[in-house]
Amino acid sequence: MSQEIPKKIYIGLIVILLAGNIFFFFQYLRVQRDAQKTIEAVKAQKAVNVKVRDFAELFIEKVLKAEAEIDFDTRLILENTVRDIGDDEILAKWREFVDSKTEPEAQQKVKSLLSLLVKKIKSVPNP
C-alpha cells in the first residue's frame, strides 16, 4: 500500500505538468498571433508614414518654396499623392487648403495641414 501512494503522486504530478504544458502552449500561440498582428500594423503604419512624408516633402518643395503660381501638372501630382495616402482626415485638410478663398485663409489651412501630417507620422498604430 505504501507503494501505491507514490504512484498516485507521480501520476498526479505528470497530469499537472502535462496540463501546464498544454496551457502554456496555447498561451504561446496567442502571444505569437498578437505579435504578428502588431508587426503587420507597424508595417502598415510605416508604409503610411512614408506616403505622408513624401507628400509633405513634395508639398513643401512645390508649394511652400514656389516663387510662382502652381501649375496644373503640379496640382495634379499633389492631388494624386494626397489621395494615394488613403487617409480621409488628410484629404479633408487638403480640400480645405485647396478651397481657400484668400491668402490668409490659405496660410491658416497650410499650417493645419502640415500639423496634421506631422501628427500622422508620429502616431503609433493600435494593433
Side-chain angles (χ1 to χ4, degrees):
M1 182 152 164
S2 64
Q3 195 68 337
E4 245 178 79
I5 295 175
K7 269 188 179 179
K8 289 181 181 180
I9 291 174
Y10 290 135
I11 290 173
L13 284 173
I14 289 172
V15 168
I16 290 171
L17 291 172
L18 280 174
N21 284 343
I22 291 169
F23 171 78
F24 287 119
F25 175 73
F26 284 110
Q27 290 297 317
Y28 169 78
L29 290 178
R30 184 185 58 78
V31 168
Q32 280 293 105
R33 185 180 63 242
D34 292 347
Q36 189 61 36
K37 285 180 183 177
T38 301
I39 289 168
E40 290 170 10
V42 167
K43 284 181 182 178
Q45 184 63 41
K46 282 183 179 180
V48 170
N49 285 355
V50 167
K51 289 179 181 183
V52 171
R53 186 202 64 216
D54 290 347
F55 172 72
E57 288 176 346
L58 185 65
F59 184 80
I60 290 167
E61 199 60 39
K62 300 293 184 177
V63 176
L64 298 182
K65 291 183 176 181
E67 296 190 17
E69 179 107 8
I70 311 302
D71 63 10
F72 177 76
D73 290 336
T74 302
R75 289 181 188 187
L76 187 60
I77 290 169
L78 287 163
E79 183 78 25
N80 289 334
T81 305
V82 78
R83 285 184 184 280
D84 187 47
I85 294 170
D87 187 295
D88 293 337
E89 194 176 5
I90 293 173
L91 188 57
K93 291 288 184 190
W94 167 255
R95 286 269 123 229
E96 289 175 12
F97 166 70
V98 170
D99 294 340
S100 299
K101 303 292 184 226
T102 64
E103 188 172 327
E105 181 185 5
Q107 289 175 356
Q108 199 60 31
K109 300 301 181 184
V110 163
K111 292 176 191 176
S112 180
L113 176 61
L114 291 176
S115 176
L116 178 62
L117 293 174
V118 170
K119 180 180 137 196
K120 291 290 184 168
I121 290 173
K122 291 171 76 174
S123 69
V124 177
N126 293 325

